[in-house]
PDB file of all heavy atoms in Angstrom:
ATOM      1  N   GLU A  45       0.333   4.294 -21.095  1.00  0.00           N
ATOM      2  CA  GLU A  45       0.244   5.731 -20.634  1.00  0.00           C
ATOM      3  C   GLU A  45       1.311   5.959 -19.488  1.00  0.00           C
ATOM      4  O   GLU A  45       1.951   7.054 -19.503  1.00  0.00           O
ATOM      5  CB  GLU A  45      -1.178   6.059 -20.103  1.00  0.00           C
ATOM      6  CG  GLU A  45      -2.120   5.959 -21.157  1.00  0.00           C
ATOM      7  CD  GLU A  45      -3.567   6.145 -20.643  1.00  0.00           C
ATOM      8  OE1 GLU A  45      -3.687   6.435 -19.381  1.00  0.00           O
ATOM      9  OE2 GLU A  45      -4.576   6.269 -21.390  1.00  0.00           O
ATOM     10  N   LEU A  79      12.482  -7.561 -23.030  1.00  0.00           N
ATOM     11  CA  LEU A  79      12.891  -8.302 -21.960  1.00  0.00           C
ATOM     12  C   LEU A  79      13.964  -9.294 -22.321  1.00  0.00           C
ATOM     13  O   LEU A  79      14.701  -9.895 -21.472  1.00  0.00           O
ATOM     14  CB  LEU A  79      11.725  -8.971 -21.309  1.00  0.00           C
ATOM     15  CG  LEU A  79      10.710  -7.951 -20.636  1.00  0.00           C
ATOM     16  CD1 LEU A  79       9.536  -8.768 -20.060  1.00  0.00           C
ATOM     17  CD2 LEU A  79      11.315  -7.213 -19.474  1.00  0.00           C
ATOM     18  N   ILE A  86      13.393  -8.968 -12.381  1.00  0.00           N
ATOM     19  CA  ILE A  86      12.628  -8.628 -11.081  1.00  0.00           C
ATOM     20  C   ILE A  86      11.218  -8.400 -11.411  1.00  0.00           C
ATOM     21  O   ILE A  86      10.782  -7.453 -12.131  1.00  0.00           O
ATOM     22  CB  ILE A  86      13.250  -7.529 -10.330  1.00  0.00           C
ATOM     23  CG1 ILE A  86      14.706  -7.801  -9.902  1.00  0.00           C
ATOM     24  CG2 ILE A  86      12.467  -7.172  -9.062  1.00  0.00           C
ATOM     25  CD1 ILE A  86      15.376  -6.639  -9.323  1.00  0.00           C
ATOM     26  N   ARG A 113       7.827 -16.143 -21.796  1.00  0.00           N
ATOM     27  CA  ARG A 113       7.831 -16.045 -23.240  1.00  0.00           C
ATOM     28  C   ARG A 113       9.192 -15.419 -23.785  1.00  0.00           C
ATOM     29  O   ARG A 113       9.500 -15.552 -24.971  1.00  0.00           O
ATOM     30  CB  ARG A 113       6.647 -15.195 -23.771  1.00  0.00           C
ATOM     31  CG  ARG A 113       5.355 -15.861 -23.713  1.00  0.00           C
ATOM     32  CD  ARG A 113       4.304 -15.217 -24.652  1.00  0.00           C
ATOM     33  NE  ARG A 113       4.004 -13.871 -24.215  1.00  0.00           N
ATOM     34  CZ  ARG A 113       2.954 -13.483 -23.366  1.00  0.00           C
ATOM     35  NH1 ARG A 113       2.127 -14.487 -22.896  1.00  0.00           N
ATOM     36  NH2 ARG A 113       2.723 -12.212 -23.026  1.00  0.00           N
ATOM     37  N   THR A 126       3.945  -9.707  -3.368  1.00  0.00           N
ATOM     38  CA  THR A 126       3.486 -10.449  -2.126  1.00  0.00           C
ATOM     39  C   THR A 126       2.669 -11.647  -2.525  1.00  0.00           C
ATOM     40  O   THR A 126       1.618 -11.533  -3.221  1.00  0.00           O
ATOM     41  CB  THR A 126       2.626  -9.638  -1.231  1.00  0.00           C
ATOM     42  OG1 THR A 126       3.570  -8.486  -0.823  1.00  0.00           O
ATOM     43  CG2 THR A 126       2.307 -10.281  -0.024  1.00  0.00           C
ATOM     44  N   ILE A 137       6.900 -20.862 -11.195  1.00  0.00           N
ATOM     45  CA  ILE A 137       7.890 -21.656 -11.876  1.00  0.00           C
ATOM     46  C   ILE A 137       7.292 -22.543 -12.954  1.00  0.00           C
ATOM     47  O   ILE A 137       7.779 -22.571 -14.095  1.00  0.00           O
ATOM     48  CB  ILE A 137       8.694 -22.507 -10.857  1.00  0.00           C
ATOM     49  CG1 ILE A 137       9.637 -21.641 -10.100  1.00  0.00           C
ATOM     50  CG2 ILE A 137       9.555 -23.631 -11.691  1.00  0.00           C
ATOM     51  CD1 ILE A 137      10.555 -22.339  -8.967  1.00  0.00           C
ATOM     52  N   LEU A 146      12.166 -23.995 -21.250  1.00  0.00           N
ATOM     53  CA  LEU A 146      13.307 -24.269 -20.393  1.00  0.00           C
ATOM     54  C   LEU A 146      13.015 -24.920 -19.133  1.00  0.00           C
ATOM     55  O   LEU A 146      11.918 -24.971 -18.610  1.00  0.00           O
ATOM     56  CB  LEU A 146      13.992 -22.839 -20.161  1.00  0.00           C
ATOM     57  CG  LEU A 146      14.357 -22.022 -21.277  1.00  0.00           C
ATOM     58  CD1 LEU A 146      14.915 -20.764 -20.859  1.00  0.00           C
ATOM     59  CD2 LEU A 146      15.285 -22.713 -22.293  1.00  0.00           C
ATOM     60  N   SER A 184      22.047 -19.477  -6.644  1.00  0.00           N
ATOM     61  CA  SER A 184      21.171 -18.428  -7.052  1.00  0.00           C
ATOM     62  C   SER A 184      20.970 -17.451  -5.849  1.00  0.00           C
ATOM     63  O   SER A 184      20.919 -16.147  -6.034  1.00  0.00           O
ATOM     64  CB  SER A 184      19.702 -19.001  -7.325  1.00  0.00           C
ATOM     65  OG  SER A 184      19.310 -19.746  -6.258  1.00  0.00           O
ATOM     66  N   LEU A 185      21.044 -17.952  -4.599  1.00  0.00           N
ATOM     67  CA  LEU A 185      21.088 -17.012  -3.376  1.00  0.00           C
ATOM     68  C   LEU A 185      22.230 -16.056  -3.421  1.00  0.00           C
ATOM     69  O   LEU A 185      22.050 -14.816  -3.227  1.00  0.00           O
ATOM     70  CB  LEU A 185      20.881 -17.866  -2.149  1.00  0.00           C
ATOM     71  CG  LEU A 185      21.043 -16.963  -0.866  1.00  0.00           C
ATOM     72  CD1 LEU A 185      19.941 -16.004  -0.793  1.00  0.00           C
ATOM     73  CD2 LEU A 185      21.134 -17.918   0.330  1.00  0.00           C
ATOM     74  N   PHE A 234     -13.550   2.497  24.033  1.00  0.00           N
ATOM     75  CA  PHE A 234     -13.371   3.767  24.736  1.00  0.00           C
ATOM     76  C   PHE A 234     -14.362   4.787  24.259  1.00  0.00           C
ATOM     77  O   PHE A 234     -14.759   5.663  25.055  1.00  0.00           O
ATOM     78  CB  PHE A 234     -11.909   4.199  24.374  1.00  0.00           C
ATOM     79  CG  PHE A 234     -10.840   3.471  25.010  1.00  0.00           C
ATOM     80  CD1 PHE A 234      -9.645   3.336  24.561  1.00  0.00           C
ATOM     81  CD2 PHE A 234     -11.098   2.998  26.313  1.00  0.00           C
ATOM     82  CE1 PHE A 234      -8.607   2.628  25.133  1.00  0.00           C
ATOM     83  CE2 PHE A 234     -10.115   2.231  26.927  1.00  0.00           C
ATOM     84  CZ  PHE A 234      -8.822   2.117  26.389  1.00  0.00           C
ATOM     85  N   GLY A 247      -0.218   8.074  26.883  1.00  0.00           N
ATOM     86  CA  GLY A 247       0.165   7.652  28.202  1.00  0.00           C
ATOM     87  C   GLY A 247       0.941   6.317  28.141  1.00  0.00           C
ATOM     88  O   GLY A 247       1.925   6.050  28.644  1.00  0.00           O
ATOM     89  N   TYR A 276      -5.322 -17.820   3.509  1.00  0.00           N
ATOM     90  CA  TYR A 276      -5.768 -18.604   2.384  1.00  0.00           C
ATOM     91  C   TYR A 276      -5.001 -19.967   2.296  1.00  0.00           C
ATOM     92  O   TYR A 276      -5.564 -21.025   2.222  1.00  0.00           O
ATOM     93  CB  TYR A 276      -5.582 -17.805   1.153  1.00  0.00           C
ATOM     94  CG  TYR A 276      -5.782 -18.632  -0.137  1.00  0.00           C
ATOM     95  CD1 TYR A 276      -6.984 -18.961  -0.618  1.00  0.00           C
ATOM     96  CD2 TYR A 276      -4.642 -19.098  -0.926  1.00  0.00           C
ATOM     97  CE1 TYR A 276      -7.199 -19.708  -1.875  1.00  0.00           C
ATOM     98  CE2 TYR A 276      -4.755 -19.837  -2.012  1.00  0.00           C
ATOM     99  CZ  TYR A 276      -6.005 -20.130  -2.550  1.00  0.00           C
ATOM    100  OH  TYR A 276      -6.205 -20.931  -3.688  1.00  0.00           O
ATOM    101  N   VAL A 294     -12.320  -6.666  12.146  1.00  0.00           N
ATOM    102  CA  VAL A 294     -12.331  -5.465  12.895  1.00  0.00           C
ATOM    103  C   VAL A 294     -12.039  -4.323  12.069  1.00  0.00           C
ATOM    104  O   VAL A 294     -12.595  -3.250  12.006  1.00  0.00           O
ATOM    105  CB  VAL A 294     -11.434  -5.627  14.149  1.00  0.00           C
ATOM    106  CG1 VAL A 294     -11.311  -4.175  14.805  1.00  0.00           C
ATOM    107  CG2 VAL A 294     -12.062  -6.588  15.151  1.00  0.00           C
ATOM    108  N   TYR A 301     -18.071   2.136  10.816  1.00  0.00           N
ATOM    109  CA  TYR A 301     -18.225   2.609  12.166  1.00  0.00           C
ATOM    110  C   TYR A 301     -18.049   4.142  12.158  1.00  0.00           C
ATOM    111  O   TYR A 301     -18.759   4.875  12.855  1.00  0.00           O
ATOM    112  CB  TYR A 301     -17.057   1.876  13.018  1.00  0.00           C
ATOM    113  CG  TYR A 301     -17.147   2.398  14.514  1.00  0.00           C
ATOM    114  CD1 TYR A 301     -18.022   1.804  15.403  1.00  0.00           C
ATOM    115  CD2 TYR A 301     -16.273   3.233  15.033  1.00  0.00           C
ATOM    116  CE1 TYR A 301     -18.123   2.082  16.729  1.00  0.00           C
ATOM    117  CE2 TYR A 301     -16.299   3.548  16.328  1.00  0.00           C
ATOM    118  CZ  TYR A 301     -17.266   3.018  17.176  1.00  0.00           C
ATOM    119  OH  TYR A 301     -17.333   3.409  18.560  1.00  0.00           O
ATOM    120  N   ALA A 306     -20.484   9.548  12.319  1.00  0.00           N
ATOM    121  CA  ALA A 306     -20.879  10.952  11.738  1.00  0.00           C
ATOM    122  C   ALA A 306     -22.421  11.126  11.711  1.00  0.00           C
ATOM    123  O   ALA A 306     -22.959  12.158  12.003  1.00  0.00           O
ATOM    124  CB  ALA A 306     -20.308  11.003  10.370  1.00  0.00           C
ATOM    125  N   ILE A 311     -27.326  13.874  13.760  1.00  0.00           N
ATOM    126  CA  ILE A 311     -28.689  13.827  14.339  1.00  0.00           C
ATOM    127  C   ILE A 311     -28.712  14.497  15.748  1.00  0.00           C
ATOM    128  O   ILE A 311     -29.657  15.208  15.993  1.00  0.00           O
ATOM    129  CB  ILE A 311     -29.146  12.312  14.529  1.00  0.00           C
ATOM    130  CG1 ILE A 311     -29.287  11.673  13.249  1.00  0.00           C
ATOM    131  CG2 ILE A 311     -30.360  12.219  15.385  1.00  0.00           C
ATOM    132  CD1 ILE A 311     -29.547  10.188  13.247  1.00  0.00           C
ATOM    133  N   GLY A 326      -9.686  13.803   1.938  1.00  0.00           N
ATOM    134  CA  GLY A 326      -8.800  12.623   1.815  1.00  0.00           C
ATOM    135  C   GLY A 326      -9.482  11.427   1.166  1.00  0.00           C
ATOM    136  O   GLY A 326     -10.528  11.031   1.603  1.00  0.00           O
ATOM    137  N   GLU A 331      -1.476   9.070   4.408  1.00  0.00           N
ATOM    138  CA  GLU A 331      -1.189  10.613   4.197  1.00  0.00           C
ATOM    139  C   GLU A 331       0.032  10.665   3.390  1.00  0.00           C
ATOM    140  O   GLU A 331       0.915   9.972   3.300  1.00  0.00           O
ATOM    141  CB  GLU A 331      -0.935  11.181   5.602  1.00  0.00           C
ATOM    142  CG  GLU A 331       0.238  10.618   6.435  1.00  0.00           C
ATOM    143  CD  GLU A 331      -0.051   9.321   7.242  1.00  0.00           C
ATOM    144  OE1 GLU A 331      -1.195   8.800   7.134  1.00  0.00           O
ATOM    145  OE2 GLU A 331       0.754   8.952   8.077  1.00  0.00           O
ATOM    146  N   SER A 339      -8.143   1.796  -0.695  1.00  0.00           N
ATOM    147  CA  SER A 339      -8.450   2.909   0.256  1.00  0.00           C
ATOM    148  C   SER A 339      -9.732   2.525   1.041  1.00  0.00           C
ATOM    149  O   SER A 339     -10.737   2.293   0.429  1.00  0.00           O
ATOM    150  CB  SER A 339      -8.566   4.195  -0.391  1.00  0.00           C
ATOM    151  OG  SER A 339      -9.059   5.211   0.527  1.00  0.00           O
TER     152      SER A 339
END
Side-chain angles (χ1 to χ4, degrees):
E45 294 180 0
L79 296 176
I86 298 175
R113 287 196 295 266
T126 300
I137 288 178
L146 303 176
S184 58
L185 174 59
F234 287 148
Y276 169 81
V294 170
Y301 185 77
I311 292 173
E331 64 273 11
S339 170

